[in-house]
Amino acid sequence: MRSRPLISRQKSLRKFSKQRKNLYVATWEGVPATIFQVLLQGQFLTGFLLYLGASSSQIGFVLALTTLVNIAQIGVAFLIQKLPSRKWAMVTCVAVHRILWTSTGLIPFILPKDLWVVTFIGLYTVAFIANTAGAVLWSSVISDLVPARVRGRYFGIRNTVLNALGSAVLYAGGIVLDRYPGGHGFFILYVVVWIFAATNIVVLFFYPDTHFEKSEENKFLPMFKKPLHDTLFMKSTLFLAAWLLLQNLTVPLYSYVMLQLLHINYQTLSLLNVSQTIFMMGSFYVWGNLNARYSNKRLLLWTLPIIAASSLIWGLLSVLPMLLVLFTAHIVFGVGIGGFNQLAFNFIIGDTPKKERPMYMAMFAALTGLSSFFGPLIGGQIYGWIENWPHWTQVYGMQIIVGVLMLALALLLGRRILKDE
């Protein structure tokens, strides 16, 4: 058998070495990004808003804003076709997001209290408008950096490593807020956030400026219509948007329920979220390996009953010890949501045409973002309406209703839409 020429092997090795370097950069960039995001979202975001004096409906609105601005990704997907460099546009957008979000930590120190919440919402909104542009650019770049043959396993490993780090940061942040309650604790967290936000921006400079295969369309409307005319893509996307509307009625407000209604401290809340993350990490490896054998859509379908079950488990608070139920619900949710997020991402970067991928990504983000916006917004309003209802309706009644609706949606429509063609 003839061996390949030496020059051909050398080119192959250089290409492999370059790919490996790019994957290392993408992985290490996630380290400061994870620390930054963990300390500013989830329970810490809810806690900081409560510290600023926000109501449940305001908290729901803030949690929903990050998904509403995803609609802007459609415009971004068209505009990036005109860019000479995706990399530097990505660095600029991400830097604006990081700087504006970290600046919210200064609000209690420089403004009167009656302006705290409204100023936070203003800065947060502009920050996430920049972030939605950065997200399109990053997804476009990373889909070109990661070869299709290793996508499932690479993102499984990357997500596992970063979520392990996130778990440690989450727990440490909870300890800090319990030991230093109020403004002192949040000041400490924001100091750490400022350091790693700056680090994240610097590491982004090391991303390669890869070749961009642009759309064959150069006008907005024809490009916009490409995903709309893809029937299989649109059916799947609209179904997942409906699913996320239901899911986000309650899930983003779990921290509110546990902090405000169950009076759980930050350290215990951190342990609950760490347990969720640990099982989510383990599921990444499992889902990644399954993805080598089964399609993205089929595996997405398998995740839905798991997520619905995690919501129904909250109903056991009526008969079982609180922490046992909460840990179980978080663990089951971690397994389900880990698979859902990973497979949904693989779906939009793997099951879509490469040249049109930015618009496909934008369409997916816009439709799921719109539904995810109304989810926590409606959920926050409902919690405000039922404030004087029996305590159980606020603590686990909502979760039971939502869990039943999600299970019905998965069984009645999911099996028909998320199937192999």
Side-chain angles (χ1 to χ4, degrees):
M1 184 173 66
R2 297 172 60 187
S3 62
R4 288 188 301 168
L6 178 60
I7 294 176
S8 176
R9 290 202 305 271
Q10 287 175 336
K11 287 182 178 178
S12 178
L13 287 171
R14 282 198 298 271
K15 183 179 179 182
F16 175 75
S17 177
K18 186 177 180 181
Q19 283 181 344
R20 175 172 285 186
K21 178 184 176 183
N22 291 340
L23 295 182
Y24 276 134
V25 170
T27 302
W28 281 108
E29 180 270 325
V31 171
T34 296
I35 296 172
F36 164 85
Q37 290 172 6
V38 165
L39 292 178
L40 284 183
Q41 64 186 9
Q43 67 189 53
F44 302 118
L45 174 58
T46 303
F48 189 60
L49 286 168
L50 289 171
Y51 168 70
L52 294 180
S55 65
S56 63
S57 58
Q58 288 174 322
I59 292 171
F61 178 73
V62 169
L63 296 175
L65 269 175
T66 57
T67 53
L68 177 66
V69 295
N70 282 342
I71 297 172
Q73 289 193 17
I74 292 175
V76 176
F78 172 72
L79 291 175
I80 67 172
Q81 307 290 331
K82 314 295 182 183
L83 292 174
S85 168
R86 283 183 299 174
K87 171 186 173 178
W88 295 112
M90 176 184 72
V91 172
T92 301
C93 292
V94 173
V96 171
H97 169 255
R98 304 300 193 247
I99 292 168
L100 289 179
W101 200 3
T102 53
S103 68
T104 59
L106 299 173
I107 290 174
F109 303 100
I110 62 176
L111 293 174
K113 192 165 185 176
D114 58 330
L115 295 178
W116 286 2
V117 176
V118 67
T119 304
F120 180 95
I121 292 174
L123 289 172
Y124 189 82
T125 302
V126 179
F128 274 88
I129 290 172
N131 184 64
T132 197
V136 174
L137 291 159
W138 184 86
S139 297
S140 176
V141 170
I142 201 72
S143 67
D144 289 342
L145 290 185
V146 184
R149 67 183 182 278
V150 299
R151 230 170 242 155
R153 291 186 178 177
Y154 169 73
F155 284 114
I157 294 170
R158 184 181 189 271
N159 291 339
T160 299
V161 171
L162 296 182
N163 278 276
L165 172 65
S167 296
V169 174
L170 186 67
Y171 183 66
I175 292 175
V176 168
L177 288 186
D178 278 337
R179 186 167 295 179
Y180 303 100
H184 190 184
F186 285 113
F187 176 76
I188 294 171
L189 293 190
Y190 267 95
V191 169
V192 177
V193 163
W194 289 327
I195 292 170
F196 284 99
T199 305
N200 187 201
I201 295 169
V202 171
V203 178
L204 284 169
F205 281 58
F206 292 92
Y207 266 81
D209 204 357
T210 54
H211 172 68
F212 181 29
E213 290 190 32
K214 297 185 178 182
S215 172
E216 296 174 355
E217 305 289 350
N218 55 18
K219 294 184 178 179
F220 176 75
L221 277 179
M223 193 185 300
F224 176 74
K225 290 177 181 179
K226 286 274 187 178
L228 293 177
H229 290 161
D230 189 331
T231 304
L232 295 178
F233 172 78
M234 287 304 298
K235 282 170 62 178
S236 301
T237 299
L238 289 171
F239 171 79
L240 293 175
W243 175 268
L244 289 170
L245 174 64
L246 285 176
Q247 178 182 298
N248 284 303
L249 287 174
T250 55
V251 172
L253 293 162
Y254 280 174
S255 294
Y256 169 77
V257 172
M258 291 184 284
L259 287 170
Q260 195 78 346
L261 303 177
L262 295 177
H263 306 293
I264 292 175
N265 60 36
Y266 283 102
Q267 189 170 343
T268 302
L269 186 54
S270 294
L271 283 173
L272 287 166
N273 286 321
V274 166
S275 68
Q276 175 181 306
T277 305
I278 289 172
F279 278 83
M280 184 168 65
M281 284 162 27
S283 79
F284 288 147
Y285 180 77
V286 176
W287 292 116
N289 283 332
L290 287 172
N291 205 192
R293 299 173 56 192
Y294 302 104
S295 70
N296 293 314
K297 290 203 294 185
R298 179 184 291 193
L299 292 177
L300 266 172
L301 175 61
W302 293 359
T303 67
L304 304 186
I306 299 173
I307 297 172
S310 71
S311 188
L312 292 171
I313 288 170
W314 279 72
L316 295 176
L317 286 170
S318 60
V319 293
L320 294 177
M322 179 179 69
L323 289 180
L324 173 64
V325 173
L326 293 179
F327 271 106
T328 304
H330 278 73
I331 288 168
V332 174
F333 183 72
V335 173
I337 203 65
F340 183 91
N341 290 340
Q342 184 167 313
L343 292 161
F345 185 73
N346 289 347
F347 167 66
I348 60 172
I349 70 170
D351 295 2
T352 53
K354 187 174 183 180
K355 290 184 177 181
E356 309 300 332
R357 192 167 292 153
M359 186 57 75
Y360 272 77
M361 289 178 175
M363 185 63 68
F364 181 89
L367 292 174
T368 56
L370 190 62
S371 65
S372 297
F373 167 76
F374 284 108
L377 190 63
I378 295 170
Q381 288 288 348
I382 292 173
Y383 275 108
W385 294 337
I386 65 174
E387 186 176 2
N388 297 320
W389 287 25
H391 191 251
W392 70 268
T393 61
Q394 302 173 61
V395 173
Y396 58 82
M398 276 275 291
Q399 286 85 322
I400 293 175
I401 294 171
V402 170
V404 170
L405 292 174
M406 286 196 294
L407 194 59
L409 186 64
L411 295 177
L412 295 177
L413 286 180
R415 289 191 301 171
R416 287 167 32 187
I417 294 175
L418 298 178
K419 64 181 182 180
D420 295 329
E421 298 298 329

